[in-house]
Structure formats: structure tokens, C-alpha cells
């Protein structure tokens, strides 16, 4: 039988099986079939298109010329909204399924959609060590642009598809954040189109109130059209040290101690159970022992979290030299560890060698095709949460995560939180060391109930003066939300800049209690 006929016969058998089981049953219980046959090829096409587009824009140097024209178009749309009587709130016209957040933004159906097609790197200023970019530039796109020029940004959140706009209007973190803070703390200026259609630039010295209020505002103060981000010199490798640690108290002590060391360029922890973890520390270097180079980003390599787990199982420390860009995007191929629930055999060596070059599927396509049944299943039986808590509360926080969720691995990422104005800052007058605890997966707690369990978790986080990342499902009441976040500057600016009739309050935009 020829290969063509074999393929046709295989497809016919697949269609008969789908018809017998029912499409919804296949999508829910055998989602990997749909993902492997359709979403992985589509994801490749998406990537090829955007890479070719970015290359063409770079070669033609057209982004700076077109930027001003695109911004004027956004201003015109806002003024048109005003002329129509400002009857509805405004929001970006980008479809909700294109965002990395798993939340479905239903508000886009009833708000005035402002089309914002801004996805290019505008300028690399080596003298000032600043890169100016549009809001839809992704982390993968930015590192691909900067690294060949010998530059990188201080905080590179791991997933390729995270955008600059999302990381500013929401937040972003990386294992270098114990030195540089959150993504917003590496930005030196923002440019926004406000509710009256005006274009404003803000920085710590120019319109400073707006500069500090923009992060975490989720697009409810204006439309971000450009950002300036600090750059630092890039090096070829990250010298990464793996250290398995056992015992919760010892884990917390080791992680805290390493996070306080400024000589560590990177600090990260992966907890595989309540009493087992691997703490990783890294430094930037241009020199490497050839026998210890691990190009972990190659498609046939094991998923990073599985690779790390081998050090725990073998109970041994280790040192590797990982190419910088491979390290920055080390969790991309497995979407941290979410992909194991979608493609259970995705880390199998045979799958990696044959199809690993197609991984991961685009999160946006997973959202677009998930359907109501899968959405409800994920909402009730799946957790994707990042809670930011003071480092001094780490041990108590991990115990709470274990009791309320029991999800492993847990991601530990330290960051310094400066005492700047805005929605998120330490309780005292000084900068404080915090840690992001990330839980992604199916809770193993028998009594887990999404709303009740998450409200209990949110209550704990508020009690230690922590914060919840706003990309995730949030169940707090309005009063609880503004108890967690400092809304004084935010509400003051919404009043001053006439935002109340133009944009919903951030709580109404992201919290489930407000959206249902």
C-alpha cells in the first residue's frame, strides 16, 4: 500500500472513531489527538508567519516610520468613541483567545474595541542601554532581536508568547528578579493614549504618578503604545548549579539564603513534593566547559522540569552550561509542566525526536479550541495561579499551598519588591524580598472545590501582605481586592484623567465575582 493510501486509510479510521466516541468526548478525554493532528501544525504556521514578518520589518526598518501612523489611528478611534457619546467602555480589540491568560475576556463583546496593531521593536539605543518596543512584542521576539546584538533585558519571563504590554499592565517575573524586581521595575518609560485621545509619555521624572500607576492596571488607565526597557550586556551561557534539598525547613532556608546573594544572577526552585526540591542558582558567563554544555532548548531534549527532577532522583548536585537564550525560555516547550496534561507522552524520547520540533502548541490556539466542556473542566479541576508572598512567609505559604491545593511541582521564584508608589509595594518603608509561588496543574486535594479553595488561598495571601497575579481566576470581593492592592494612586488618576466613563475598574475587568 502506498504512503498516500495509508494516510487516507488512517484518517478514515480516525474519523470513524471520532464519530463513534463523539467529538466532545474526544476533545475532553483524548485532547492530545486534536492537539497533535491540528494545533501543532497550526502553531508552526503561526510561528513561521510572525518570524517572517519580524524579519521583514527589521530588514526594511519600517517599524519606526509606521509607529507614529498607527498611534494616530488609535487616537482617531478614541476620538470617534468620544464623538459617539462615550456610551460604552473601551478595550483593546485584540481577541481574548490571543492572550496567554487562561481567562476568557467576555467584556470584549460589549465594549468598544480599539484596534491596536503594535508588535514591533522600534529602537535599540546602545548608548542609553534602552530598547523601545511596541506592546505586542513578545519575549521570544525580543530576545531573538537583542541577543545577536550582544544585549538582553534584565528580566525575561520564560514563555515565548508573553507580550511586553501584558507584562506591564499585568506583571512578569524571572529568576533574575531577586536583583532587578518585577518586569515593570526594568521599564524606564511608557507611552499611552489616554481617554481623551491625547498621547502622553511618563517616566519616574515625567508624569510620575501615571508611570507608577500603570503596572497592574490591566489597561484601565489608557492604551499602552510603547515602552522603554533597560538593557544589559548578554553573555553566551548561564552556568547553572543544581542542588537537591530535602526537608521543608531546609528548603526554605537554602532558597532564602541563595536569593539574598547578589552574586547569583539567577535563583529558582522547583518543589516536587512538600519535602523535596531542587534549588538552582546561575551566573552569566562567556566561558564554558565543553563537556558540560547542555542545549536544553533543542527540540529533542527532555523537558526542563523533568531534566531537573533527575538530580533529585539521583540525589546529586550538578553544574551545566546552558546557552543563554535556551535558559531564558527553558519552560516554554512544556509550558512549565502544563503540557504533560495535554500530551501525556510528550516527554517520551520517541515523540521528542519525531515531533518535538512542533512543540509547544500555541496557548492562544488551545484557548480558541477548548470548548465549553473543557473550559468548565479546567475551571473546576485545574489550577493556574501565581501568589506573591514575603520571603519570610515562605514556609507557611508552602504548607498552605499543600493543604489547600496539593499541586506539584511548585515553582519558586524570588524577587525584590521596591517601595514604589502604585498598586503593589511592601508593607513597610523599605524594599522587601518576596517570592512567587506558582501552582499549575490538577489539585490532588480530595475536597478541592475551585471557588471555596481559592478564596481560602486568597485570604491567606492577604493575611501575609501578599498579592495574586491578575492573569488568573480571582474570586475576591471588591473590598477584599482593594484590601490586597493599594488603590489610592490608581483611583486618584482615574478621577483626574476621566477614566471612569472610558474604562472599567480593574476589579470589574478581571475578578470572577464581578464578571458573573
Amino acid at each position: 500500500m502506498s504512503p498516500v493510501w495509508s494516510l487516507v486509510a488512517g484518517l478514515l479510521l480516525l474519523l470513524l472513531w471520532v464519530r463513534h466516541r463523539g467529538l466532545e468526548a474526544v476533545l475532553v478525554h483524548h485532547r492530545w489527538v486534536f492537539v497533535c493532528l491540528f494545533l501543532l501544525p497550526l502553531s508552526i504556521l503561526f510561528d513561521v508567519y510572525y518570524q517572517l514578518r519580524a524579519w521583514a520589518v527589521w530588514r526594511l526598518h519600517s517599524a519606526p516610520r509606521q509607529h507614529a501612523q498607527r498611534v494616530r489611528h488609535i487616537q482617531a478611534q478614541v476620538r470617534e468613541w468620544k464623538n459617539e457619546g462615550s456610551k460604552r467602555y473601551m478595550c483593546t480589540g485584540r481577541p481574548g483567545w490571543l492572550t496567554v491568560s487562561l481567562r476568557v475576556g467576555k467584556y470584549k463583546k460589549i465594549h468598544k474595541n480599539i484596534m491596536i496593531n503594535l508588535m514591533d521593536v522600534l529602537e535599540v539605543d546602545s548608548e542609553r542601554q534602552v530598547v523601545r518596543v511596541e506592546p505586542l512584542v513578545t519575549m521570544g521576539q525580543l530576545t531573538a532581536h537583542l541577543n545577536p546584538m550582544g544585549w538582553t533585558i534584565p528580566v525575561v519571563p520564560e514563555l515565548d508568547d508573553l507580550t511586553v504590554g501584558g507584562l506591564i499592565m499585568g506583571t512578569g517575573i524571572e529568576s533574575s528578579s531577586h536583583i532587578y524586581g518585577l518586569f515593570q521595575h526594568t521599564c524606564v518609560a511608557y507611552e499611552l493614549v489616554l481617554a481623551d485621545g491625547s498621547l502622553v509619555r511618563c517616566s519616574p521624572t515625567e508624569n510620575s504618578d501615571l508611570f507608577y500607576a500603570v503596572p497592574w492596571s490591566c489597561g484601565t488607565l489608557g492604551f499602552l503604545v510603547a515602552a522603554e526597557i533597560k538593557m544589559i550586556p548578554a553573555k553566551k551561557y548561564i552556568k547553572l548549579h543544581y542542588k537537591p534539598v530535602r526537608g521543608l525547613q531546609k528548603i526554605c532556608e537554602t532558597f532564602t539564603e541563595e536569593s539574598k546573594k547578589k552574586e547569583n544572577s539567577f535563583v529558582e526552585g522547583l518543589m516536587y513534593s512538600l519535602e523535596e526540591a531542587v534549588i538552582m542558582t546561575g551566573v552569566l558567563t562567556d566561558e564554558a566547559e565543553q563537556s558540560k554544555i547542555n542545549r536544553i532548548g533543542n527540540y529533542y531534549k527532555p523537558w526542563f522540569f523533568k531534566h531537573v527532577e533527575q538530580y533529585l532522583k539521583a540525589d546529586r548536585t550538578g553544574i551545566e552550561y546552558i546557552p543563554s537564550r535556551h535558559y531564558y525560555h527553558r519552560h516554554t516547550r512544556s509550558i512549565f509542566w502544563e503540557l504533560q496534561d495535554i500530551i501525556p507522552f510528550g516527554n517520551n524520547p520517541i515523540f521528542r525526536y519525531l515531533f518535538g520540533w512542533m512543540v509547544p502548541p500555541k496557548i492562544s490556539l488551545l484557548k480558541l479550541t477548548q470548548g465549553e466542556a473543557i473550559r468548565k473542566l479546567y475551571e473546576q479541576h485545574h489550577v493556574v495561579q501565581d501568589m506573591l508572598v514575603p520571603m519570610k512567609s515562605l514556609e507557611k505559604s508552602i504548607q498552605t499551598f499543600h493543604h489547600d491545593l496539593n499541586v506539584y511541582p511548585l515553582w519558586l521564584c524570588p524577587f525584590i519588591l521596591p517601595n514604589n508608589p502604585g498598586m503593589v509595594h511592601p508593607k513597610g518603608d523599605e524594599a522587601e524580598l518576596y517570592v512567587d509561588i506558582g501552582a499549575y496543574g490538577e489539585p490532588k486535594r480530595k475536597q478541592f472545590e475551585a471557588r471555596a479553595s481559592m478564596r481560602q488561598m486568597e485570604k491567606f495571601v492577604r493575611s501575609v501582605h501578599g498579592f495574586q497575579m491578575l492573569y488568573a481566576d480571582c474570586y475576591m470581593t471588591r473590598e477584599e481586592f482593594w484590601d490586597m492592592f493599594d488603590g489610592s494612586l490608581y483611583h486618584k488618576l482615574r478621577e483626574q484623567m476621566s477614566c471612569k466613563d472610558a474604562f472599567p475598574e480593574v476589579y470589574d475587568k478581571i475578578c470572577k465575582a464581578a464578571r458573573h
Side-chain angles (χ1 to χ4, degrees):
M1 185 181 291
S2 71
V4 174
W5 284 110
S6 298
L7 179 62
V8 170
L11 287 173
L12 284 174
L13 288 172
L14 175 63
L15 290 172
L16 287 171
W17 178 66
V18 169
R19 184 178 178 183
H20 171 69
R21 293 297 305 271
L23 180 60
E24 184 174 288
V26 170
L27 290 178
V28 172
H29 301 292
H30 305 279
R31 199 179 183 196
W32 62 267
V33 175
F34 183 73
V35 169
C36 292
L37 290 180
F38 298 102
L39 296 194
L40 289 181
L42 278 175
S43 298
I44 291 294
L45 293 176
F46 259 63
D47 281 337
V48 169
Y49 167 76
Y50 282 111
Q51 288 171 9
L52 288 175
R53 184 194 175 281
W55 178 83
V57 167
W58 174 73
R59 292 291 295 178
L60 297 172
H61 201 61
S62 61
R65 294 196 306 270
Q66 294 180 357
H67 177 73
Q69 179 182 341
R70 290 170 178 164
V71 171
R72 285 194 294 271
H73 177 58
I74 294 167
Q75 291 177 283
Q77 293 178 77
V78 173
R79 291 180 182 127
E80 179 186 359
W81 165 82
K82 286 192 69 177
N83 293 335
E84 291 173 349
S86 309
K87 296 176 181 177
R88 296 182 290 165
Y89 288 139
M90 291 183 290
C91 67
T92 64
R94 190 184 188 209
W97 59 270
L98 273 175
T99 63
V100 173
S101 168
L102 294 180
R103 185 174 55 246
V104 179
K106 297 179 180 179
Y107 60 87
K108 289 183 181 285
K109 296 178 181 179
I110 57 174
H111 293 176
K112 170 74 172 178
N113 282 212
I114 304 298
M115 302 310 298
I116 298 179
N117 185 30
L118 300 170
M119 56 181 70
D120 296 315
V121 178
L122 298 173
E123 179 186 4
V124 177
D125 188 334
S126 299
E127 188 173 329
R128 291 176 58 217
Q129 294 194 15
V130 166
V131 58
R132 182 168 172 255
V133 300
E134 293 179 329
L136 295 182
V137 167
T138 66
M139 290 299 98
Q141 177 186 352
L142 188 54
T143 55
H145 189 96
L146 292 179
N147 287 174
M149 303 168 70
W151 295 103
T152 187
I153 56 175
V155 175
V156 186
E158 289 85 355
L159 301 182
D160 283 13
D161 291 342
L162 292 169
T163 64
V164 167
L167 295 168
I168 291 170
M169 291 296 184
T171 194
I173 193 170
E174 170 51 78
S175 54
S176 57
S177 289
H178 66 295
I179 299 173
Y180 299 104
L182 298 171
F183 186 84
Q184 70 202 56
H185 301 128
T186 68
C187 297
V188 296
Y190 309 127
E191 297 168 39
L192 297 101
V193 171
L194 303 183
D196 61 359
S198 61
L199 176 64
V200 172
R201 184 179 186 273
C202 58
S203 72
T205 58
E206 178 185 8
N207 298 309
S208 59
D209 278 357
L210 181 59
F211 176 78
Y212 290 116
V214 162
W216 296 76
S217 66
C218 298
T220 59
L221 294 174
F223 295 109
L224 183 70
V225 295
E228 295 177 23
I229 309 167
K230 295 175 188 175
M231 298 189 305
I232 58 174
K235 294 193 176 182
K236 292 180 181 178
Y237 300 101
I238 311 297
K239 181 182 179 181
L240 196 63
H241 180 259
Y242 303 87
K243 182 179 181 180
V245 186
R246 287 180 165 80
L248 179 58
Q249 184 178 354
K250 183 67 174 176
I251 290 168
C252 295
E253 289 174 354
T254 303
F255 186 77
T256 302
E257 181 182 330
E258 297 295 345
S259 299
K260 290 179 178 178
K261 294 179 181 176
K262 297 303 180 186
E263 61 266 30
N264 287 330
S265 304
F266 305 93
V267 179
E268 176 183 27
L270 293 184
M271 291 198 66
Y272 292 90
S273 74
L274 182 62
E275 302 289 339
E276 297 177 309
V278 177
I279 308 299
M280 290 159 279
T281 56
V283 294
L284 290 158
T285 179
D286 283 322
E287 306 297 327
E289 299 177 44
Q290 292 299 310
S291 62
K292 294 184 179 180
I293 293 176
N294 185 0
R295 304 183 188 280
I296 194 68
N298 287 347
Y299 70 88
Y300 51 83
K301 288 285 189 173
W303 289 345
F304 183 70
F305 79 98
K306 287 293 188 183
H307 171 66
V308 173
E309 191 176 17
Q310 295 307 309
Y311 288 94
L312 183 67
K313 290 181 176 179
D315 196 24
R316 64 180 177 89
T317 61
I319 292 177
E320 291 182 330
Y321 294 83
I322 301 179
S324 295
R325 195 156 182 266
H326 288 227
Y327 177 81
Y328 290 141
H329 303 288
R330 63 197 178 281
H331 291 299
T332 291
R333 288 190 302 124
S334 56
I335 317 179
F336 279 87
W337 31 92
E338 288 279 66
L339 198 57
Q340 66 181 350
D341 292 333
I342 299 171
I343 307 177
F345 46 82
N347 194 49
N348 182 282
I350 296 174
F351 181 87
R352 292 200 314 264
Y353 275 89
L354 292 178
F355 305 107
W357 57 276
M358 302 173 76
V359 167
K362 289 286 184 188
I363 294 175
S364 53
L365 293 179
L366 289 170
K367 283 176 64 177
L368 180 65
T369 59
Q370 68 180 358
E372 190 63 19
I374 294 177
R375 188 190 68 78
K376 288 182 177 178
L377 189 70
Y378 264 66
E379 188 173 285
Q380 294 300 321
H381 304 286
H382 199 87
V383 166
V384 180
Q385 292 283 348
D386 283 85
M387 299 294 188
L388 316 181
V389 298
M391 186 67 79
K392 62 190 178 187
S393 302
L394 177 59
E395 185 173 348
K396 187 177 179 182
S397 299
I398 291 173
Q399 289 170 338
T400 301
F401 267 74
H402 179 79
H403 178 268
D404 291 347
L405 301 179
N406 195 9
V407 171
Y408 292 98
L410 284 179
W411 189 53
L412 305 181
C413 184
F415 68 99
I416 191 72
L417 185 61
N419 188 33
N420 293 338
M423 287 176 61
V424 172
H425 54 76
K427 193 172 185 179
D429 297 329
E430 302 292 331
E432 186 174 347
L433 192 61
Y434 270 62
V435 57
D436 174 9
I437 304 178
Y440 324 119
E442 182 180 351
K444 299 298 189 293
R445 184 183 179 229
K446 293 181 179 179
Q447 293 82 24
F448 177 80
E449 194 278 317
R451 185 178 184 278
S453 297
M454 287 316 306
R455 278 190 54 75
Q456 187 69 23
M457 182 71 68
E458 291 164 349
K459 181 180 179 181
F460 167 79
V461 172
R462 289 196 305 275
S463 74
V464 298
H465 197 73
F467 309 94
Q468 180 180 24
M469 281 198 185
L470 300 184
Y471 76 87
D473 283 336
C474 173
Y475 294 86
M476 289 182 282
T477 65
R478 193 179 305 273
E479 292 72 26
E480 291 167 343
F481 182 85
W482 290 118
D483 180 45
M484 177 179 284
F485 297 97
D486 182 354
S488 54
L489 181 60
Y490 172 79
H491 291 302
K492 170 188 161 186
L493 285 177
R494 275 179 61 83
E495 192 74 43
Q496 288 180 356
M497 301 191 308
S498 303
C499 293
K500 289 189 172 182
D501 294 328
F503 307 104
E505 186 182 298
V506 61
Y507 174 81
D508 294 312
K509 193 171 182 179
I510 62 98
C511 285
K512 293 183 76 69
R515 292 183 286 119
H516 295 280

